[in-house]
Amino acid sequence: MKVLAADIGGTSTRLIYAEVDNNKKDILAENIYYSYQYENFNCLFDVFVAENNINEKINKACFAVAGPVKSGEASVTNLPWSMTEAQLSRSLNIPRVKLINDFIAVAHGVAEIEDKDLVILQQGTECPVNKDAAVVGAGTGLGASHLIWNNGCFLPKASEAGHAGFAPCNQLQCELLNWLQQQHTHVSVEMLLSGRGLKTIYQFLHEIKHIPESLIVKKTMRETDPAQVISEYALAEKDLLCQRTLDCFIEIYGAAAGNIVLHYYPVSKLYIAGGIAAKIKNRMQRTCFIDALINKGPMSSNMKELTVKLVSQEKTGLYGALSVAAGI
Amino acid sequence: MKVLAADIGGTSTRLIYAEVDNNKKDILAENIYYSYQYENFNCLFDVFVAENNINEKINKACFAVAGPVKSGEASVTNLPWSMTEAQLSRSLNIPRVKLINDFIAVAHGVAEIEDKDLVILQQGTECPVNKDAAVVGAGTGLGASHLIWNNGCFLPKASEAGHAGFAPCNQLQCELLNWLQQQHTHVSVEMLLSGRGLKTIYQFLHEIKHIPESLIVKKTMRETDPAQVISEYALAEKDLLCQRTLDCFIEIYGAAAGNIVLHYYPVSKLYIAGGIAAKIKNRMQRTCFIDALINKGPMSSNMKELTVKLVSQEKTGLYGALSVAAGI
């Protein structure tokens, strides 16, 4: 049986085409595209089909979308695409189409992930009774989901936790919030924990905290993705402003991941997914992230019992969507 | 069959004893006690049994506890009580005992509540497909739960969302957070959305924002529960400091309830439970609460579609625990 899956984000869209037979998945084609270069998903689908000479009928498809999915309808945050299962099924000529939230897909992917694709950030107390987990990940936006173990199988629940208000955990972060409140009526945690969030923190530390900006970083940021430039200069320890930006980002990330865990508590595991963590995994392994995560007053001892794993496989959402597609 | 249920909070504990026959519940005894006057739950249970001349064997019991419940064990936040199902079953001589989180109990109670015990704060768009709901409530602490509709029945999930970091949504709230950060390493949203939170906001507005304190309010607060004094003077519009305190509290409450909803989104309903909302329900019906709730950037239009109901029945958690007890 031929199955298609996609992980559709504000920046990029990954597509995978596979032959599925019982539990065996044979990958026939896989590509990544810049989402914003396409008017809608159908245009991108046509390119994928043409590039890979797909002639056979596709039986089932699952598309994971960065945005809320309600009653088979989804709109992609940061993209002008709106999609419905019925319309996609008709226009793509695929009998069964399912739309799911992108972090539901990551949750499905995480349930099947191999140890080699995981980095342990905190080894907690194993709890045989409670298998529930939280999944959090910063990329183009900040996603989160709750993986609930119910009657012998996982029930993943979506969220829009990235749009919740930003909760600063020290004076510097309070100043950052104050500065952002002068520009926006609502300051979400995603405004900081995302690619553009890295740029925002960088600007704040430069403009308000007067950390000098190097000319070479400034120039490189004009030519390529600022978030990537900041991460690379910070990891190479070549630029103070970039290093401070990444330190601040990681501290906010730890605290926010802890806050999300508390909304789903009791859980015994936390997976840190998303494109950014995988790229800065060496920094995520320092104590700063976990220190911020466990600093939760009377809940700190519970947070220390949590097993925290970083997902270094960036295609977890895509593989999760493929599993869902195979099962519909 | 004789069934016992309790709603155990940091301030008070409610107990109910009933004859349950199929779906019919016949209440035989019901009392409320100050929790902190008892060394442990067994002492309080003995008083309840003696006061109500309960001689018959109790078959089943469910105790809702303000705090996390893991593997049949619970510790009550703000009380030195720790409880396990096995120990309670033995010592109280009740064959089947279940411990649940207090907001799981409220979620069960809300699923059965009558319209007369609800006040509509926002009429949303009814969604026949999505029956999921969020429950939020400030009392001694801030509780929350997620009511998930799965395979034809509700699956309520607990949370410790009250311990998540406080996310200020304007400059005044940023100053409040900054002031609290000088005293605590972690400032949770519960530190503001609780009885003691009202007192904290009052102190901040007086000490830092220099709103004068009236002598009569100061004196009354020394003699009785400060949160109650603040609410009463604010509702009677008799004292500026109390009024500003309640306004600030309600604005923080709206924003925090919205943040919790986003963690469980998509949901179609939000129930505002807890002891405080019921006491200040006239103020909760003003636009301030809902305005703060729906101010969520790109998610604002989704928040406007939410149906928001205030639970005016303070015994919802107790009745929820009774339903759980009847079903075990």
Side-chain angles (χ1 to χ4, degrees), chain A residues 218-232:
Chain A
K218 189 176 178 178
K219 183 171 170 290
T220 319
M221 287 215 293
R222 267 204 301 266
E223 290 158 7
T224 178
D225 175 26
Q228 199 183 323
V229 177
I230 293 165
S231 306
E232 283 172 8

Side-chain angles (χ1 to χ4, degrees), chain A residues 254-266:
Chain A
N259 289 339
I260 291 169
V261 162
L262 289 168
H263 283 78
Y264 304 146
Y265 204 82

Side-chain angles (χ1 to χ4, degrees), chain B residues 146-162:
Chain B
H146 184 189
L147 204 50
I148 298 165
W149 184 253
N150 184 48
N151 287 334
C153 63
F154 277 115
L155 169 69
K157 294 299 290 180
S159 94
E160 292 296 327

Side-chain angles (χ1 to χ4, degrees), chain A:
Chain A
M1 185 176 300
K2 298 294 186 292
V3 166
L4 180 75
D7 187 7
I8 302 166
T11 307
S12 60
T13 291
R14 290 177 195 273
L15 275 156
I16 194 166
Y17 172 61
E19 169 78 46
V20 174
D21 192 11
N22 290 323
N23 277 329
K24 215 179 139 284
K25 292 177 198 116
D26 194 9
I27 295 168
L28 305 173
E30 192 183 321
N31 284 92
I32 182 164
Y33 303 92
Y34 286 114
S35 314
Y36 54 81
Q37 293 180 345
Y38 301 85
E39 201 180 320
N40 54 46
F41 179 71
N42 290 48
C43 300
L44 194 153
F45 171 83
D46 290 342
V47 171
F48 179 75
V49 165
E51 281 183 358
N52 294 288
N53 300 311
I54 299 172
N55 302 312
E56 281 189 83
K57 185 172 175 63
I58 300 169
N59 306 88
K60 302 169 174 184
C62 175
F63 305 130
V65 173
V69 179
K70 287 193 284 190
S71 313
E73 290 188 34
S75 50
V76 192
T77 315
N78 308 318
L79 266 188
W81 299 4
S82 73
M83 305 161 81
T84 77
E85 289 173 356
Q87 163 253 315
L88 287 164
S89 173
R90 257 196 322 274
S91 59
L92 308 180
N93 193 26
I94 303 174
R96 276 187 275 177
V97 172
K98 195 167 174 61
L99 288 173
I100 62 174
N101 173 271
D102 59 341
F103 264 74
I104 288 281
V106 175
H108 279 283
V110 147
E112 297 182 359
I113 206 163
E114 292 174 45
D115 278 346
K116 72 171 176 57
D117 292 327
L118 294 168
V119 179
I120 294 175
L121 300 184
Q122 176 174 270
Q123 182 61 58
T125 319
E126 288 301 320
C127 175
V129 179
N130 183 351
K131 291 178 194 281
D132 287 11
V135 183
V136 178
T140 307
L142 177 71
S145 56
H146 184 189
L147 204 50
I148 299 166
W149 183 252
N150 184 48
N151 287 334
C153 63
F154 278 115
L155 170 69
K157 295 298 290 180
S159 94
E160 292 297 325
H163 295 286
F166 165 47
C169 53
N170 57 37
Q171 210 197 322
L172 181 76
Q173 292 177 21
C174 268
E175 286 178 57
L176 171 57
L177 174 59
N178 227 315
W179 178 67
L180 285 168
Q181 278 176 344
Q182 288 159 28
Q183 306 159 51
H184 306 275
T185 54
H186 172 64
V187 179
S188 70
V189 61
E190 174 174 292
M191 285 184 185
L192 299 157
L193 295 180
S194 55
R196 78 193 154 110
L198 272 166
K199 179 77 194 296
T200 301
I201 297 169
Y202 178 95
Q203 278 181 313
F204 164 74
L205 291 176
H206 175 53
E207 291 173 24
I208 307 300
K209 304 307 288 182
H210 309 299
I211 302 179
E213 181 177 36
S214 90
L215 286 176
I216 178 77
V217 172
K218 189 176 178 178
K219 183 171 170 290
T220 319
M221 287 215 293
R222 267 204 301 266
E223 290 158 7
T224 178
D225 175 26
Q228 199 183 323
V229 177
I230 293 165
S231 306
E232 283 172 8
Y233 274 81
L235 292 177
E237 302 192 348
K238 274 187 188 161
D239 183 84
L240 181 69
L241 180 53
C242 292
Q243 282 172 257
R244 289 279 171 82
T245 300
L246 196 62
D247 290 345
C248 180
F249 178 89
I250 289 173
E251 210 169 10
I252 293 172
Y253 204 169
N259 289 339
I260 291 169
V261 162
L262 289 168
H263 283 78
Y264 304 146
Y265 204 82
V267 295
S268 63
K269 284 203 184 92
L270 165 65
Y271 293 96
I272 305 296
I276 297 176
K279 291 189 186 82
I280 59 167
K281 67 180 176 192
N282 291 340
R283 285 298 167 102
M284 296 287 284
Q285 288 172 270
R286 295 191 184 171
T287 56
C288 174
F289 178 80
I290 291 293
D291 286 349
L293 190 144
I294 62 180
N295 176 30
K296 299 295 172 195
M299 286 299 289
S300 293
S301 57
N302 299 69
M303 300 304 273
K304 284 179 190 161
E305 290 173 7
L306 204 67
T307 294
V308 184
K309 294 182 180 182
L310 187 152
V311 178
S312 60
Q313 169 55 272
E314 286 193 50
K315 293 187 278 189
T316 307
L318 183 66
Y319 295 153
L322 183 63
S323 285
V324 173
I328 54 177

